[in-house]
Amino acid sequence: MFEKDELDELRSHKEKWTGKVEMGLEKRPERKKSFNTTSNIPVERLSTPLDIDDQSYQKEIGLPGEYPYTRGVQPTMYRARFWTMRQYAGFATAKETNQRYRYLLEQGQTGLSVAFDLPTQIGYDSDHPLAQGEVGKVGVAIDSIRDMEILFDQIPLDRVSTSMTINAPAAILLAMYIAMAEKQGIAPEKLNGTIQNDVLKEYSARGTYIFPPKPSMRIITNIFEYCSSTIPNWNTISISGYHIREAGSTAVQEVAFTLADGIAYVEAAIEAGLDVDVFAPRLSFFFNSHLDFLEEIAKYRAARRLWAKIMKERFHAKNPRSMMLRFHTQTAGCTLTAQQPENNIVRVAFQAMAAVLGGTQSLHTNSRDEAFALPSQESVQIALRTQQLIAYESGVADTVDPLGGSYYLEKLTSGIEEKAREYINKIDEMGGAPAAIEEGYIQKEIQDSAYRYQKEIDEGKRVVVGMNKFKIEEPPPTGLLRVDPKVREDQISLIETLKKERDSVELGSSMARLKKAAEGKDNLMPPLLEAVKAEATLGEICDLLRKIFGEYQPTTTI
Amino acid sequence: MVNRKIRVLVAKPGLDGHDRGAKIIAYALRDAGMEVIYTGLRQTPEQIVEAAIQEDVDVLGLSILSGAHDYLFPRIHELLKAKEVNDILIIAGGIFPEEDIPKMKAIGISEIFRPGTPTDEIVNYIKSNKPVKS
């Protein structure tokens, strides 16, 4: 990238400079013997053109909107439109959550993101014994299409995009969403949104699995196929590193394990006979934004470049959209402290800024009180305002990839790409991500990193402001959100009413067709749509599928 | 029994999938010389109580971040009482609102460790409070 003569001159100049600096270190030592990123990549004192002189600008960095997309997936990025401000929200009943959504939209939020409660995520109705204590706690309880209708009441689904954090039962919730929108008079092709639908990371990091890998992969490829023809603007999966990072991985591991999962989905879909350039443009990703500001920015850029290369070189994609890694970001919940919780507002702001400088397509900013409970409305407002401050006041959205070309950042981007690729090669040798998860390899790598990180905090090698340094005595926080345990009773009575009112003949025949499809090879989406329209509950559908597909038995490695 | 290692059951009650904390605690207690059994995810109160008795543990550590502790902890307490188990030290970690702490202590959970607790604080707590098994 630079003239050879100039590089030679710089090299000898830098040697002299380094000598001089190191002589002064005795008097003025640096804070640490060595500096490292959270992924244990060494951080040099200074980066110069010498650090990136082996990079080809055209091949490795390029221009935004062009392969390999290092600088961003769109040519004009936020000069055209800001990222989608999308706060993950859901608690108690559909009615209460609907009110929160309408509040957030009034406050300038530009997309919705549904948090479901654990019974919904694991395919149990609210009246199931295992749902005791869990209904409406970490998200909204959805038992049937009736709840879905209440959840989106008076929300313009043709203008707002909806992301749903739903994995094992994603096909069922998507069917409910499509059927509910139809009732509102909105055709499937007008719908925009995302289902998370990433079951591999449920096995390795998040825990809301239901079925074993094989039928799970079949459901996922059924969704890819169905959506490409029927609901073309839908993101059929959000391949997620977020939870891998929350479970304790490093930035490099987050990229590697996420892309390895992505490779497994692409392979499964190709195996099922789908054309890569038909389904791959609708794959989307989801990353964490953690504390190490520059490493995070480099991480997004590295992930984009690496995925583009994988799609082009390994899967021979021809459609540029197949090569574009589009992603959502959430700030790191695991970095929030219960001590001096107001500090979390600032942490989140830095993390959000990193996501924007890394070119995210949408963003959730966490709330200050999440080390205690689900966020209160006031806390969510501050979190949303943080995004609006970055967008409207900071100026960083006015030029594309403003940190591109920084010697340090470009070097770190390449470093993360290289180390992630090493992991991916290793996972390939093990037979791909599903095999590596089956062996417990990915889980072990994540938990080892988590323990290392914790030990650094315990030993004071890693400072957490307000927690292991700069501590104060403080009163417990007030004004926390609390979900009424009565929510379960309310949901149960809704289920009872539904079971009395629905047409049992229609229900029976739709469930029979679903059973036949599940036992055979037909796409599950059309019979699922019929079943949810006949008001089958989520639990009933999942129970039927559990009988046919079986249940996943986790590998626990401690 | 001379120098029997302290036996700990680290358990994840309910449907919560957040097990970073549980696994870190399991590692830390093991490094501190204790014998640790980790239940894995999605354990019912019945399964946890059964495992605690079967494994003859000194300590039961409950980890939960989903907010379902308000149902699950009293249920575990009830089952232990029904089985007349009273020589197990019960501790808990996770995300809990302040006002729930006294309720948890009232049902026999000796200590509640919230986000930001150094692992050695938990190790020391167990060492100085473990029940003497007959």
Side-chain angles (χ1 to χ4, degrees):
Chain A
M1 224 191 308
F2 303 90
E3 294 292 332
K4 193 181 169 298
D5 289 355
E6 208 181 340
L7 283 175
D8 287 342
E9 201 186 315
L10 174 60
R11 194 167 293 116
S12 69
H13 185 177
K14 197 185 164 204
E15 264 170 41
K16 280 183 212 137
W17 177 85
T18 305
K20 218 160 65 185
V21 170
E22 283 178 355
M23 277 192 355
L25 287 183
E26 242 170 78
K27 249 191 177 163
R28 255 181 82 84
E30 292 178 331
R31 283 182 287 112
K32 292 189 265 189
K33 284 263 176 290
S34 68
F35 292 77
N36 295 290
T37 69
T38 58
S39 303
N40 216 21
I41 296 173
V43 179
E44 302 298 333
R45 180 176 300 123
L46 179 78
S47 300
T48 69
L50 296 169
D51 292 287
I52 54 167
D53 68 338
D54 57 343
Q55 277 184 5
S56 155
Y57 181 86
Q58 282 288 76
K59 278 192 191 142
E60 297 293 316
I61 302 170
L63 299 177
E66 291 180 8
Y67 185 85
Y69 304 101
T70 311
R71 306 204 67 178
V73 291
Q74 294 117 1
T76 58
M77 288 304 289
Y78 310 130
R79 285 167 68 96
R81 192 174 74 78
F82 291 126
W83 60 94
T84 303
M85 298 178 195
R86 193 191 292 287
Q87 296 297 93
Y88 184 46
F91 60 97
T93 62
K95 199 168 163 231
E96 282 166 273
T97 301
N98 174 266
Q99 281 164 4
R100 177 67 70 89
Y101 290 168
R102 281 153 70 175
Y103 169 80
L104 284 166
L105 291 171
E106 272 164 30
Q107 294 299 315
Q109 170 165 288
T110 49
L112 294 175
S113 173
V114 185
F116 296 99
D117 71 358
L118 285 165
T120 305
Q121 293 188 53
I122 304 175
Y124 298 123
D125 286 341
S126 299
D127 58 0
H128 193 283
L130 291 176
Q132 287 180 95
E134 312 269 13
V135 176
K137 284 279 173 64
V138 304
V140 59
I142 300 293
D143 294 314
S144 76
I145 187 167
R146 291 191 185 183
D147 295 326
M148 202 63 138
E149 285 164 18
I150 300 167
L151 187 64
F152 290 99
D153 182 37
Q154 297 183 51
I155 289 170
L157 297 179
D158 48 349
R159 280 180 283 134
V160 171
S161 65
T162 304
S163 172
M164 291 189 269
T165 299
I166 194 74
N167 292 278
I172 305 160
L173 273 302
L174 176 60
M176 284 184 191
Y177 190 81
I178 295 170
M180 174 271 301
E182 245 172 52
K183 275 194 172 178
Q184 285 195 12
I186 296 157
E189 61 269 21
K190 290 242 173 79
L191 297 175
N192 280 282
T194 308
I195 40 174
Q196 197 161 79
N197 197 24
D198 169 13
V199 81
L200 289 173
K201 67 90 178 55
E202 297 298 328
Y203 303 137
S204 65
R206 190 168 174 275
T208 68
Y209 41 74
I210 303 175
F211 313 112
K214 218 170 155 199
S216 295
M217 295 303 260
R218 179 231 171 144
I219 301 171
I220 291 166
T221 51
N222 282 178
I223 292 171
F224 288 1
E225 188 186 18
Y226 179 83
C227 290
S228 65
S229 59
T230 310
I231 167 167
N233 297 326
W234 199 265
N235 296 311
T236 53
I237 193 167
S238 173
I239 307 163
S240 305
Y242 182 80
H243 320 89
I244 291 171
R245 190 68 180 280
E246 286 293 293
S249 85
T250 66
V252 164
Q253 289 170 334
E254 181 188 354
V255 173
F257 300 158
T258 307
L259 300 198
D261 286 349
I263 290 168
Y265 295 123
V266 173
E267 282 176 343
I270 291 173
E271 180 102 337
L274 308 186
D275 176 352
V276 68
D277 282 323
V278 172
F279 71 83
R282 298 317 306 170
L283 305 179
S284 64
F285 289 82
F286 175 20
F287 291 111
N288 198 294
S289 192
H290 211 273
L291 294 167
D292 192 328
F293 187 74
L294 295 170
E295 185 181 40
E296 291 302 287
I297 299 167
K299 176 186 82 181
Y300 306 119
R301 301 172 85 251
R304 251 193 319 265
R305 182 156 78 206
L306 185 50
W307 185 248
K309 290 179 183 171
I310 290 167
M311 291 309 290
K312 188 175 185 177
E313 292 162 11
R314 180 167 179 165
F315 295 114
H316 312 292
K318 304 254 171 341
N319 182 350
R321 301 194 66 85
S322 304
M323 305 172 204
M324 291 180 194
L325 181 148
R326 296 170 300 120
F327 69 102
H328 173 68
T329 306
Q330 180 172 337
T331 57
C334 63
T335 65
L336 303 180
T337 60
Q339 297 72 23
Q340 303 175 43
E342 302 293 308
N343 295 344
N344 292 327
I345 297 171
V346 185
R347 280 192 185 95
V348 166
F350 291 139
Q351 294 169 1
M353 182 70 103
V356 169
L357 292 171
T360 196
Q361 275 59 62
S362 62
L363 179 60
H364 166 104
T365 31
N366 283 61
S367 294
R368 60 185 168 173
D369 46 3
E370 291 184 46
F372 299 98
L374 290 192
S376 68
Q377 186 146 305
E378 195 197 340
S379 301
V380 173
Q381 191 188 66
I382 297 172
L384 176 60
R385 293 286 179 264
T386 305
Q387 296 198 37
Q388 291 161 337
L389 287 164
I390 295 172
Y392 294 97
E393 295 187 5
S394 79
V396 296
D398 294 350
T399 184
V400 178
D401 188 29
L403 298 192
S406 145
Y407 308 122
Y408 175 66
L409 197 77
E410 294 299 354
K411 186 186 172 195
L412 190 54
T413 301
S414 296
I416 292 173
E417 181 191 358
E418 192 187 310
K419 286 193 179 327
R421 197 184 268 280
E422 284 166 18
Y423 260 121
I424 291 172
N425 291 342
K426 192 162 179 192
I427 292 166
D428 281 339
E429 281 165 24
M430 298 172 84
I437 292 165
E438 193 73 30
E439 277 183 40
Y441 168 75
I442 290 178
Q443 298 89 310
K444 186 85 171 46
E445 285 291 304
I446 296 170
Q447 70 212 31
D448 286 350
S449 297
Y451 190 44
R452 207 174 308 125
Y453 194 89
Q454 181 63 38
K455 277 213 281 203
E456 287 169 12
I457 293 174
D458 286 352
E459 290 161 6
K461 286 183 193 154
R462 181 177 291 283
V463 172
V464 182
V465 172
M467 192 181 90
N468 66 357
K469 204 169 183 169
F470 314 113
K471 295 190 263 191
I472 54 167
E473 287 296 320
E474 57 188 330
T478 52
L480 298 176
L481 183 130
R482 185 155 197 124
V483 176
D484 190 338
K486 211 174 99 9
V487 168
R488 181 160 185 262
E489 290 158 37
D490 295 347
Q491 283 301 117
I492 291 175
S493 79
L494 288 174
I495 294 173
E496 282 166 357
T497 313
L498 170 105
K499 288 188 176 171
K500 270 188 226 135
E501 289 176 355
R502 66 187 172 181
D503 181 337
S504 60
V505 177
E506 201 187 325
L507 175 75
S509 62
S510 72
M511 291 296 268
R513 280 192 292 277
L514 176 62
K515 182 166 181 275
K516 197 160 161 267
E519 285 166 345
K521 290 199 157 145
D522 288 350
N523 193 307
L524 290 171
M525 283 304 295
L528 279 174
L529 260 160
E530 283 181 37
V532 302
K533 284 181 187 170
E535 303 192 312
T537 67
L538 175 73
E540 288 168 336
I541 295 173
C542 287
D543 280 348
L544 183 146
L545 297 177
R546 277 188 187 98
K547 279 200 194 110
I548 300 166
F549 295 151
E551 289 185 67
Y552 177 68
Q553 300 304 325
T555 320
T556 305
T557 44
I558 279 284
Chain B
M1 237 183 282
V2 190
N3 280 339
R4 179 186 124 127
K5 277 190 178 181
I6 301 175
R7 287 172 69 79
V8 186
L9 182 71
V10 175
K12 282 290 304 174
L15 304 179
D16 179 26
H18 294 92
D19 59 357
R20 176 180 183 162
K23 286 172 166 176
I24 283 174
I25 296 302
Y27 274 46
L29 300 185
R30 191 170 295 170
D31 280 358
M34 302 180 202
E35 236 169 280
V36 184
I37 304 130
Y38 172 53
T39 62
L41 299 179
R42 293 199 208 166
Q43 301 296 303
T44 61
E46 288 78 6
Q47 287 170 319
I48 291 168
V49 168
E50 189 59 33
I53 296 168
Q54 285 288 319
E55 298 286 351
D56 187 27
V57 295
D58 306 293
V59 182
L60 171 60
L62 301 167
S63 164
I64 187 163
L65 290 82
S66 70
H69 58 273
D70 57 2
Y71 167 76
L72 294 163
F73 286 4
R75 180 78 190 126
I76 290 167
H77 171 67
E78 256 171 49
L79 292 166
L80 284 170
K81 227 168 83 180
K83 301 242 175 195
E84 293 178 5
V85 179
N86 45 27
D87 59 351
I88 296 179
L89 175 74
I90 308 173
I91 55 177
I95 293 191
F96 311 106
E98 189 69 25
E99 72 245 38
D100 289 9
I101 308 274
K103 289 182 225 161
M104 288 157 69
K105 292 208 166 170
I107 56 162
I109 295 170
S110 318
E111 195 54 88
I112 288 100
F113 300 100
R114 295 162 81 189
T117 309
T119 53
D120 56 4
E121 196 178 310
I122 300 168
V123 169
N124 292 336
Y125 182 84
I126 291 176
K127 284 185 174 163
S128 31
N129 291 280
K130 79 171 167 83
V132 183
K133 288 245 175 190
S134 47

